[in-house]
Amino acid sequence: MTIQWFPGHMTRARRQIEDKLKLIDVVIELLDARIPLSSRNPMIDEILQGKPRMVLLNKHDLADPHITAEWVRYFADKGLKALPIDASTGSHVKDILPRAKELFADKIATQIRKGINPRAIRGLIVGIPNVGKSTLINQLAGKKIAATGDKPGITKGQQWIKVGTELDLLDTPGILWPKFEDQLVGYRLAVTGAIKEELLHVDEIAFFAMKYLIEHYPDALKERFGIDNLPTDLENPNEVLEVLEAVGRKRGAVVSGGRIDLDKASLIILRDLRAGKIGRISLEKPGQV
Ligand SMILES: Nc1nc2c(ncn2[C@@H]2O[C@H](COP(=O)(O)OP(=O)(O)OP(=O)(O)O)[C@@H](O)[C@H]2O)c(=O)[nH]1
């Protein structure tokens, strides 16, 4: 469920994450591969206070693979290794454990040298609503899901999920809030479905998406909706609107008198986009933001 964030929510969410941080070794930061920056909490560095972390670019199956590769390089330049994953099918999810072990390689080696059996690494998944946290937890837990129960000294009620013998995950993720203030970020979040449609009107979101598709993915757009010609003057809103209407016409979003039901046409385009039916689409590139 998407929540509308108010300062009170943010403070509570932050406090909850800070409480959980005390229990864990590594933060697994989940971002949406289609909008890695817009789906990132703007205060994340401050909140994590230097805790080791890894970045996962989820919904990789829906994102443009070339652009995701650019994002991986972008994060690498910032000293963060980002792994593209698809939590819904489990693709590349197996790379998470080796990455966690890599982060603790020195510590583990020291423990082994001292004859201590290294304990499982404790991880916490964090991310904004709808980014795929629960899906990833379920995927990691797999069939062999086993909560290890409350451990001494650990906050009551927190359950651990065993991912093999080497990783324990907190069963409830840390919920972060996205940054709404920037209008462009708001639109990108709305297009991916991370924020409620009521916050922005559906035809505004679809208009934004359509303009972006015409500019960046014209061939995929033409093919999906059987459109022959796309406008060249994107600064003219009427031209963009005409494409939206053409989609509505093709898909039967017509009301009496042959008028196009714009809301219906908007929902069609957004549903197709979110389901990956137009193709693998990324909505932001490192150079653009
Ligand atoms: N295509 C695709 N869909 C995904 C992927 N991961 C999650 N989803 C879908 O994204 C939606 C949200 O996933 P959740 O796991 O509920 O997200 P969440 O972050 O736990 O959401 P909140 O409970 O709102 O915080 C669901 O419809 C999932 O099926 C993925 O890798 N690819």
Side-chain angles (χ1 to χ4, degrees):
M1 200 197 65
T2 23
I3 327 164
Q4 195 175 344
W5 291 92
F6 298 106
H9 282 129
M10 294 181 191
T11 313
R12 209 170 314 127
R14 185 172 178 169
R15 207 173 297 135
Q16 275 170 5
I17 289 194
E18 281 166 356
D19 280 347
K20 289 174 196 227
L21 284 181
K22 294 176 197 145
L23 311 175
I24 57 123
D25 304 308
V26 61
V27 171
I28 301 170
E29 187 190 2
L30 206 52
L31 303 177
D32 187 320
R34 297 166 295 175
I35 48 166
L37 285 197
S38 295
S39 61
R40 192 160 215 224
N41 180 283
M43 290 162 79
I44 188 73
D45 290 334
E46 207 182 305
I47 294 170
L48 298 188
Q49 295 161 14
K51 192 65 96 171
R53 76 175 120 159
M54 69 177 87
V55 170
L56 302 179
L57 302 173
N58 193 36
K59 308 197 185 185
H60 174 48
D61 56 311
L62 297 174
D64 185 328
H66 301 293
I67 295 177
T68 302
E70 285 182 36
W71 281 113
V72 169
R73 283 195 292 276
Y74 168 93
F75 284 107
D77 286 347
K78 302 202 171 309
L80 283 167
K81 197 164 176 177
L83 301 174
I85 65 156
D86 168 1
S88 56
T89 64
S91 159
H92 295 286
V93 164
K94 63 172 180 1
D95 299 335
I96 296 174
L97 178 62
R99 176 64 190 136
K101 283 168 75 175
E102 221 174 279
L103 286 168
F104 293 98
D106 290 348
K107 215 167 167 181
I108 294 170
T110 311
Q111 285 174 329
I112 291 172
R113 222 177 14 250
K114 288 182 181 163
I116 304 167
N117 216 359
R119 66 160 172 79
I121 298 167
R122 292 178 185 153
L124 168 69
I125 291 174
V126 304
I128 65 165
N130 210 45
V131 74
K133 299 178 294 299
S134 307
T135 309
L136 179 61
I137 290 176
N138 291 337
Q139 191 62 248
L140 283 167
K143 283 194 191 103
K144 283 173 267 164
I145 172 162
T148 56
D150 289 351
K151 290 180 182 172
I154 283 170
T155 314
K156 217 167 177 276
Q158 295 285 4
Q159 297 285 310
W160 295 89
I161 292 166
K162 277 209 157 301
V163 184
T165 54
E166 294 167 299
L167 178 66
D168 283 354
L169 265 190
L170 264 189
D171 70 339
T172 48
I175 300 175
L176 292 166
W177 60 96
K179 186 180 170 197
F180 286 114
E181 305 95 75
D182 183 333
Q183 207 187 17
L184 216 53
V185 172
Y187 278 125
R188 288 173 182 150
L189 288 164
V191 171
T192 59
I195 60 174
K196 274 187 188 164
E197 253 136 40
E198 298 90 84
L199 293 181
L200 286 164
H201 200 271
V202 68
D203 58 9
E204 271 182 85
I205 307 168
F207 183 90
F208 174 86
M210 185 54 94
K211 193 170 165 193
Y212 191 88
L213 289 171
I214 296 170
E215 196 174 350
H216 299 276
Y217 297 95
D219 296 337
L221 184 65
K222 283 186 197 163
E223 190 170 328
R224 175 68 188 165
F225 298 107
I227 297 168
D228 298 325
N229 293 307
L230 290 175
T232 43
D233 180 13
L234 289 175
E235 293 317 309
N236 181 351
N238 287 331
E239 293 203 2
V240 178
L241 209 57
E242 273 171 28
V243 187
L244 206 54
E245 286 178 344
V247 168
R249 205 169 297 115
K250 296 252 176 197
R251 292 287 201 84
V254 185
V255 283
S256 57
R259 219 170 37 83
I260 303 298
D261 183 337
L262 210 55
D263 278 2
K264 214 166 167 181
S266 297
L267 284 174
I268 290 169
I269 188 107
L270 290 174
R271 268 190 213 130
D272 274 18
L273 183 57
R274 288 171 188 160
K277 288 183 178 160
I278 302 174
R280 295 180 70 176
I281 310 280
S282 290
L283 294 157
E284 60 188 11
K285 286 185 194 174
Q288 283 172 341
V289 285

